Amino acid sequence: MALSSHLLQFPVHTSSPGPDYLLFYPSPCQSSAPISIRKAMIPLVPIALNVSARVRCLTKSSAEEDRWSESETLVSDGDDGGEATREDAKVQQRRRERIATSYGDSLTLGIREPIYEVVEVKSNGMVSTRKINRRQLLKSSGLRPRDIRSVDPSLFLTNSMPSLLVREHAILLNLGSLRAIAMQERVLIFDYNCKGGKAFIDTLLPRLNPRNINGGPCMPFELEVVEAALLSRVQRLEQRLMTIEPRVQALLEVLPNKLTADILEELRISKQTLVELGSRAGALRQMLLDLLEDPHEIRRICIMGRNCTLVKGNNSVECSVPLEKQIAEEEEEEIEMLLENYLQRCESCHGQAERLLDSAKEMEDSIAVNLSSRRLEVSRVELLLQVGTSCVAVGALVAGIFGMNLKSYLEEHMFAFWLTTAGIIVGAVVAFFMMYSYLRSRKIL
């Protein structure tokens, strides 16, 4: 490549007050150190450079600008030039520190993607624990980000109501402490260490064992998961009801004749448990009613994993294979019967809890009436004591009058003391009975 030598001259005069630099590369498009010439009160100097006649490259990347600024700090001409160069180096160093600080802040403010620790149960009964982030969960289940809200354990305060959401490739279950995503060949269980998760796993695994089928027809895996979830939930409600019912019956037999602080506290705890049990059973019952009243959701469960679609007009099922349509219709009836069965059990549990709660409330009313009658008796005794005290106070007033150190000529008589004492006692008794009769006539006592 032919190179030509040129003589470049630069004027000394400049209008800019700050230090300016002219940078040149000896060869084009290379990253070698540039030649820096400072324009600040230096004489006119001829400089010989080898300039390529073919290519001239000008790079404006931020990395090369940083290298230029570093190379500029190495050039100093005279005492004034060295001081200005050091100032420029400090400015560039501050700029790089600000850039690095802002970059670190952006990394600190970045939102970390949540990672869930779940138990994966496959259709063959294999159980494994794994960690999965939100992106992988959405990709493997075909769900949308807003669908995960119903089963996200971190949002237990906002999604405490039971729900069963049907999507194209998954079913989302939120039954209290049980939160799971059922797919065609596996189910992911969140919060598997809680009571609901453990009860669900203990109920699901025996159903997946081929030895427990007893030659009967095998249901799809998603329906097995849904039935196991409903069964575990209803059984837990029934067990709590069976535990609390004898306690409430024993309290109803003891009360209101035996009123102690321990018995009243036990009644309060039992009533609170019944309220919680009734609300949970009522919420589950409402969820099952909503599913039974929406045949579209039931048919979406039936066509999962099959080459079938729902017609938007009449919600009828259309399948490419007639046999699959027949199987889907049969499964629809089975799902309705399944939901009806658990709805009846849930209504029975809810009704029994409400009856026990009504009995506890009636007992509380009876206790309140009993306590009110006792307070009334205490008030009557207090009123009688106040009336007697008033009558005796009148007698004390008469005694105080005679107790003054003044001569009344009664002290000279022999029977004056006994007569006065008898008069005070008789007067107090008469005043008491008169006040008592008045209060009886006004029905105050």
Side-chain angles (χ1 to χ4, degrees), residues 234 237-250 252 270-271 273-279 281-282 285 343-361:
V234 173
L237 294 176
E238 291 175 348
Q239 289 175 359
R240 293 191 63 182
L241 180 62
M242 293 174 62
T243 303
I244 194 63
E245 185 175 2
R247 294 168 51 189
V248 176
Q249 294 293 343
L252 294 179
S270 301
K271 182 182 175 182
T273 305
L274 288 173
V275 170
E276 182 181 358
L277 180 61
S279 64
R285 178 176 63 91
L343 177 61
Q344 292 178 1
R345 295 177 62 175
C346 188
E347 285 182 345
S348 175
C349 183
H350 180 263
Q352 185 65 18
E354 290 294 330
R355 284 191 293 270
L356 290 175
L357 182 61
D358 292 339
S359 300
K361 290 181 178 179

Side-chain angles (χ1 to χ4, degrees), residues 134 138 141-152 159 165-168 172 181:
R134 184 187 290 268
L138 295 176
S141 60
L143 298 173
R144 291 172 291 184
R146 62 183 180 182
D147 296 332
I148 306 297
R149 298 174 189 170
S150 62
V151 295
D152 194 345
N159 54 9
L165 304 179
V166 183
R167 296 297 181 258
E168 186 176 359
L172 294 92
I181 299 178

Side-chain angles (χ1 to χ4, degrees), residues 124-143:
N124 56 4
M126 294 182 61
V127 182
S128 61
T129 304
R130 55 178 297 192
K131 292 183 178 180
I132 184 172
N133 57 21
R134 184 187 290 268
R135 191 182 305 273
Q136 295 175 353
L137 181 60
L138 295 176
K139 185 177 180 181
S140 60
S141 60
L143 298 173

Side-chain angles (χ1 to χ4, degrees), residues 380-397 424 427-429 431-433 435-436 439:
R380 292 180 62 184
V381 172
E382 288 181 353
L383 182 59
L384 288 175
L385 290 176
Q386 289 178 0
V387 171
T389 303
S390 301
C391 296
V392 173
V394 174
L397 175 63
I424 292 173
V429 171
F432 175 78
F433 279 103
M435 185 65 67
Y436 180 77
L439 293 176

Side-chain angles (χ1 to χ4, degrees), residues 291-317:
L291 281 176
L292 288 172
E293 293 176 357
D294 190 3
H296 178 74
E297 294 294 322
I298 298 178
R299 289 170 184 171
R300 290 182 65 182
I301 299 175
C302 298
I303 65 175
M304 284 184 62
R306 294 188 174 92
N307 191 12
C308 301
T309 57
L310 291 177
V311 180
K312 294 183 178 180
N314 51 7
N315 287 330
S316 61
V317 180

Side-chain angles (χ1 to χ4, degrees), residues 189-247:
I189 306 169
F190 302 86
D191 287 343
Y192 54 89
N193 289 324
C194 63
K195 294 181 180 180
K198 291 180 180 179
F200 171 67
I201 295 175
D202 295 339
T203 306
L204 178 62
L205 291 180
R207 301 174 67 89
L208 301 179
N209 191 355
R211 298 178 182 178
N212 298 330
I213 298 178
N214 297 326
C218 183
M219 294 177 62
F221 179 71
E222 312 90 69
L223 297 184
E224 291 284 356
V225 171
V226 172
E227 185 175 4
L230 293 176
L231 179 62
S232 64
R233 182 61 175 171
V234 173
Q235 283 182 348
R236 288 184 62 206
L237 294 176
E238 291 175 348
Q239 289 175 359
R240 293 191 63 182
L241 180 62
M242 293 174 62
T243 303
I244 194 63
E245 185 175 2
R247 294 168 51 189

Side-chain angles (χ1 to χ4, degrees), residues 2-6 8 25-28 49-56:
L3 297 176
S4 61
S5 178
H6 298 272
L8 302 180
Y25 282 97
S27 61
L49 297 176
N50 291 328
V51 182
S52 173
R54 296 179 57 187
V55 182
R56 294 181 180 177

